[in-house]
Amino acid sequence: MDGRDLVRWVKAIGSAGVAEGLRTVRAAWRRRRAEAAALPARGAERARVPGAVEGAEPGPGGGVVRFGRSALRVTVDVNGAVFWGWDGAGPEPSYALAGRCPEPDPRAVLEPDKDGGWRVVAERVTVVVSRLGAVEVCTPGGVTLRRDLPPRWWEPVGGGEARWVQRSEVGADARFFGLGGRAHGPRLRGGTYRLWNTDPGRPFAPGEDPLYLTMPVQMVVADAGTHLVFHDTTWDGTVTLREGEEGAGSGHDRAGTSELRMDGGPLRCWVIVGTPARVLHAWAALTGAPALPPAWALGHHHARWGFGDEQEVRRTVAGYREHGLPLDAVHLDVDHLDARQAFTVDAERYPKLPDLADELRRDGIRLVSVVDPAVRVRPGDAVHDSGMAEDAFVRDAGGRVVKGLLRPGESVFPDFTRPATRAWWGGLHEERLAQGFAGFWHDRNEPASFTGFGENTLPRSVRHDLEGRGGDHREAHNVYALCMARAAYEGLRELVPQERPFVLSRSGWAGIQRYGGTWSGDVATGWPGLRASLALVLGLGLCGVPYAGPDVGGSDGSPSPELYLRWFQLGAQLPLFRTRAGAGRREPWEFGEGVVGHARAALVERRRLLPYFMTLAHLARRTGAPYVRPLWWAAPEDRALRDCEDAFLLGDALLVAPVLEPGVERRAVRLPRGRWYDTATGQAYEGPGQVLLDAPLSRIPVLARAGAVLPVRGADGGLELEVWAPARGRTGGGLVVPDAGDGFDEPEVERYTARRQGPRVVVERDGDEGPAEPPYPVRVRGLGRE
């Protein structure tokens, strides 16, 4: 036990109550004993560095550079992504990659460099390897973006997994983003961040680390360029960041640094260089295109812990209808399950669940079911018995099925790293579909214990299949939720092949976007929690997970009417828009008629923008670009935008400036270059610069880029184009992807241009046969507001 664990134990006791807290401590202590008995002690270790270069062997896309005590494989693939792996490590096997590794770029060549080193020269990047094993990533013009110092390993003398450290340097002006879902940021300041998916055991706010979804993915933005770096190992580790300083020490710059320490796994990484859009496009090509959510999933969701029964669900839905609040999905938590067991409905409280689902679907509302990974230990239970027959559950080193404590009570845990187990688990969704559910959200899949304290559910000595390779929980922990999401997604694709699956996962790893999205987890109710919500969504988007959002209002306590409304207004502009009550009632009308009226306005605007959100979803699938983007997305060289964390771009067309502090009815907004229109007043502003905008309780500032063409829902429910007048002498445009339904058809991307023609704005559709009239009604805004 170390200090970090002791602090978590104390917090667990304080947050869960003495009885539950002591149960948590006892479970953790048993886990420690199991690990001590089954995992070998590290004992004495021997340090190792690569040594001096001895030669090189060219190969496709690069080659192998050999050192005295290691070898480095360097390859540039056809998309421009750079891979390198030490000690002969290759890019496969990998849970992050989508299918096979990309083909190497035949134009990239390995050639000698100065001072006995080597370099790989490609079209978009040059990789320089020094004679002692330092690796530099440079632009084609020779500017260094990243320099990795020679790594160091510590190998147990008696054999076993080596731990290692990789220290890196970046520009003095560089800013760090990413590392999965972090409450800090989205810009990551100096500090240490752990890479171990963890349920904090209580609602979190900025300062809590780690959280549910971590991944060793960094986006680094500097004047010289942007790059993404991904260290492909699933083991426990830490990243220590320190931002640089220009002119530090006798006028010299102090470089920014990143130090990655891992407890095991291969030392291998990918680096992608380019504009933010190009970087995430290549990242999506490498790790998989984001899953396209069904159209209804871009609407308004509502969840509550403890609906109680079918009639309470109906009363809640009727409340939304009575107050004129659009609703698209209702999420049922574990209280609708028999003894909180997945795939087993509580027949007393929900005796006619399929009828309820049909009733809601006729009103355009889908039911979503929570699914935990734990299976209760109860012989005679269909899920338990079929899992035992399939040998689906994880076992310890002695071959015994491992039992832990989760919401159903004493539970066993599927081994989702085993293909046969994923197939079995995916097939279980037939029962959920028969009950009328249209979507699924995975909770506590770090996996976490009933009392929180997620890292103590499964001992690290537990054995996993790992696709037939074999290994233990030290390697499997961080991909456990990723593989669970894969099981659900693939099972649903087979069971309902004509519909896009809806899978929402609290935890995950690199590649989780292939199967669905994520949400914030148990964010604390309070203004800091509101700010953390935005940080999480922005950070996840820069890691390639575009569909994400918080639980509006937080997960604990009762937000003030002002806090709830400001959270609601932010949520209405994020990809996943879900209100949730941790306990009891927390629907909009519970906060008074004033809040209901303003919430209705936010919901009506969300519904009007649904065609735009659907277009962003299709573009995310095709390009990897997140719906929600930092202000520096199109201008990473703008340092003022790099440091702005309280506003964001929604696609290319809109800038959203949420209110993140109490008592604010007017706020400063940093504008990127160009003309921007306040969508509420039509007033035009010129960027770059900072403006002061009204932010009354009725709305938050939203600005539209001059020349933008947005698809919106018209008054008759049909699609129309909202066009914001271009500045004089300039043109604009936009993309529209009309979605035909919830299937897998790939609709055509429609391109539109907008230009000034005297006092008018002309909008045309681009086509193979030249410009054409748009097939939709056009509404021009902003004319005469210069």
Side-chain angles (χ1 to χ4, degrees):
M1 179 176 68
D2 58 20
R4 179 174 53 202
D5 288 331
L6 180 60
V7 169
R8 284 190 178 275
W9 287 1
V10 172
K11 288 180 178 178
I13 293 175
S15 62
V18 174
E20 294 293 342
L22 290 176
R23 185 163 60 155
T24 297
V25 172
R26 285 196 296 269
W29 188 258
R30 286 195 297 269
R31 182 188 71 92
R32 288 287 183 175
R33 291 180 61 187
E35 290 179 357
L39 291 178
R42 294 200 65 91
E45 295 179 319
R46 180 185 297 110
R48 173 169 62 91
V49 295
V53 69
E54 294 184 345
E57 301 169 8
V64 176
V65 182
R66 300 199 177 278
F67 297 84
R69 290 179 289 277
S70 188
L72 176 67
R73 180 192 304 272
V74 183
T75 306
V76 181
D77 75 25
V78 291
N79 292 320
V82 180
F83 170 83
W84 68 75
W86 286 96
D87 288 350
E92 299 176 14
S94 170
Y95 279 104
L97 299 187
R100 301 291 298 176
C101 180
E103 293 295 319
D105 184 352
R107 299 168 296 177
V109 296
L110 177 68
E111 59 187 32
D113 195 39
K114 61 185 178 180
D115 300 327
W118 292 82
R119 65 179 182 178
V120 177
V121 181
E123 180 182 5
R124 298 177 185 172
V125 67
T126 298
V127 183
V128 180
V129 181
S130 78
R131 66 183 184 87
L132 294 177
V135 181
E136 291 187 14
V137 177
C138 307
T139 67
V143 178
T144 300
L145 297 178
R146 184 180 193 87
R147 183 171 187 266
D148 282 11
L149 303 178
R152 182 180 294 268
W153 295 265
W154 287 269
E155 300 168 330
V157 172
E161 197 73 24
R163 58 189 180 94
W164 50 266
V165 61
Q166 175 70 74
R167 297 182 175 92
S168 309
E169 296 177 348
V170 297
D173 66 300
R175 297 289 182 261
F176 299 99
F177 301 86
L179 295 181
R182 303 286 170 170
H184 302 271
R187 171 184 158 197
L188 300 176
R189 267 68 171 185
T192 298
Y193 302 87
R194 193 177 179 196
L195 298 168
W196 187 256
N197 294 345
T198 304
D199 175 9
R202 68 190 188 288
F204 70 87
E208 186 71 46
D209 188 84
L211 295 178
Y212 315 96
L213 200 165
T214 70
M215 61 177 83
V217 179
Q218 295 179 41
M219 177 84 82
V220 184
V221 184
D223 288 353
T226 300
H227 72 273
L228 178 147
V229 58
F230 166 53
H231 288 87
D232 192 357
T233 177
T234 63
W235 287 63
D236 194 359
T238 60
V239 178
T240 300
L241 303 176
R242 186 183 70 169
E243 291 183 347
E245 184 179 352
E246 294 178 297
S250 303
H252 296 288
D253 292 348
R254 175 170 59 80
T257 61
S258 170
E259 180 181 277
L260 177 65
R261 290 181 174 270
M262 301 300 295
D263 286 350
L267 203 175
R268 58 183 181 180
C269 79
W270 291 87
V271 177
I272 304 172
V273 175
T275 64
R278 176 173 286 181
V279 164
L280 283 185
H281 191 188
W283 177 243
L286 188 69
T287 62
L292 187 66
W296 59 264
L298 293 171
H300 176 217
H301 304 234
H302 182 67
R304 190 204 297 172
W305 170 277
F307 269 117
D309 56 28
E310 294 177 2
Q311 292 310 309
E312 181 60 23
V313 175
R314 289 188 173 91
R315 281 192 291 269
T316 301
V317 172
Y320 272 93
R321 189 181 303 115
E322 176 186 345
H323 291 89
L325 302 172
L327 183 64
D328 297 274
V330 172
H331 293 224
L332 299 186
D333 214 321
V334 292
D335 56 293
H336 85 280
L337 299 170
D338 179 19
R340 299 176 176 177
Q341 162 68 53
F343 308 111
T344 310
V345 171
D346 187 331
E348 291 186 6
R349 289 184 292 172
Y350 291 85
K352 298 180 179 180
L353 190 54
D355 294 341
L356 173 63
D358 288 342
E359 176 186 325
L360 295 179
R361 189 179 286 257
R362 286 194 296 271
D363 290 334
I365 301 171
R366 268 66 170 189
L367 272 184
V368 176
S369 171
V370 70
V371 177
D372 285 358
V375 174
R376 62 181 170 182
V377 177
R378 190 172 76 171
D381 179 272
V383 177
H384 173 269
D385 290 354
S386 66
M388 292 297 293
E390 290 283 346
D391 192 23
F393 304 120
V394 295
R395 296 176 178 270
D396 61 19
R400 297 176 293 273
V401 172
V402 173
K403 299 176 183 178
L405 188 66
L406 216 80
R407 289 199 279 206
E410 189 175 48
S411 304
V412 288
F413 301 85
D415 181 5
F416 294 114
T417 70
R418 179 174 174 264
T421 297
R422 290 197 296 268
W424 163 75
W425 186 265
L428 294 177
H429 287 77
E430 186 172 10
E431 181 273 341
R432 299 279 83 191
L433 294 170
Q435 295 291 341
F437 288 105
F440 306 91
W441 55 294
H442 294 174
D443 202 3
R444 297 187 176 272
N445 56 341
E446 293 75 30
S449 66
F450 174 72
T451 50
F453 210 18
E455 63 177 303
N456 287 321
T457 298
L458 291 177
R460 298 186 183 214
S461 57
V462 164
R463 303 298 299 172
H464 288 268
D465 183 75
L466 291 169
E467 317 307 318
R469 294 182 289 111
D472 58 41
H473 198 63
R474 293 175 296 175
E475 183 178 358
H477 175 87
N478 280 337
V479 295
Y480 189 85
L482 173 74
C483 295
M484 180 183 177
R486 177 181 176 181
Y489 184 86
E490 292 177 347
L492 292 169
R493 285 297 309 269
E494 185 170 332
L495 291 167
V496 195
Q498 71 278 11
E499 294 184 9
R500 303 197 289 259
F502 176 78
V503 177
L504 195 65
S505 179
R506 187 170 82 169
S507 186
W509 203 65
I512 186 66
Q513 77 278 355
R514 298 192 295 263
Y515 312 118
T518 186
W519 87 101
S520 63
D522 294 336
V523 60
T525 297
W527 293 95
L530 170 59
R531 185 174 289 272
S533 297
L534 177 56
L536 280 159
V537 175
L538 278 165
L540 286 164
L542 294 175
C543 292
V545 186
Y547 184 75
D551 278 338
V552 168
S555 66
D556 63 323
S558 299
S560 68
E562 181 189 9
L563 173 60
Y564 181 84
L565 178 60
R566 292 308 196 187
W567 215 321
F568 197 97
Q569 291 166 337
L570 169 62
Q573 301 291 337
L574 298 178
L576 171 65
F577 180 24
R578 183 172 89 161
T579 51
R580 186 184 180 198
R585 288 181 167 275
R586 201 201 276 170
E587 286 71 38
W589 54 89
E590 299 293 333
F591 295 90
E593 187 56 38
V595 169
V596 170
H598 299 328
R600 185 184 303 113
L603 274 173
V604 168
E605 178 64 6
R606 171 65 174 231
R607 181 143 297 208
R608 193 180 76 89
L609 288 175
L610 281 179
Y612 183 54
F613 274 94
M614 195 75 254
T615 292
L616 294 178
H618 278 280
L619 295 178
R621 178 167 180 78
R622 299 179 190 214
T623 70
Y627 313 25
V628 171
R629 308 164 186 178
L631 293 187
W632 50 259
W633 176 258
E637 71 282 355
D638 188 329
R639 297 190 180 189
L641 296 180
R642 285 209 300 258
D643 293 340
C644 183
E645 301 175 284
D646 61 354
F648 59 92
L649 298 175
L650 182 59
D652 286 332
L654 299 179
L655 188 158
V656 181
V659 173
L660 304 176
E661 297 176 351
V664 171
E665 294 199 0
R666 194 167 172 79
R667 61 151 294 176
V669 180
R670 175 70 60 179
L671 297 181
R673 185 176 302 276
R675 174 171 295 169
W676 296 85
Y677 295 97
D678 186 322
T679 58
T681 67
Q683 179 65 45
Y685 300 92
E686 294 293 335
Q690 185 169 280
V691 296
L692 197 61
L693 299 180
D694 289 334
L697 279 175
S698 59
R699 62 181 175 86
I700 57 176
V702 177
L703 298 102
R705 190 189 301 272
V709 178
L710 285 82
V712 298
R713 177 178 287 181
D716 62 354
L719 193 149
E720 66 180 38
L721 302 181
E722 180 174 271
V723 182
W724 289 88
R728 294 189 183 277
R730 296 187 176 275
T731 61
L735 304 176
V736 177
V737 185
D739 189 64
D742 293 338
F744 289 89
D745 293 338
E746 293 284 349
E748 178 186 357
V749 177
E750 302 173 3
R751 300 178 183 273
Y752 294 88
T753 58
R755 57 184 173 84
R756 290 268 193 162
Q757 190 176 72
R760 300 172 55 242
V761 172
V762 176
V763 181
E764 296 173 322
R765 178 177 175 180
D766 297 340
D768 295 336
E769 299 179 359
E773 288 287 326
Y776 314 112
V778 176
R779 185 163 61 100
V780 177
R781 300 185 64 184
L783 271 177
R785 302 307 298 250
E786 295 87 343

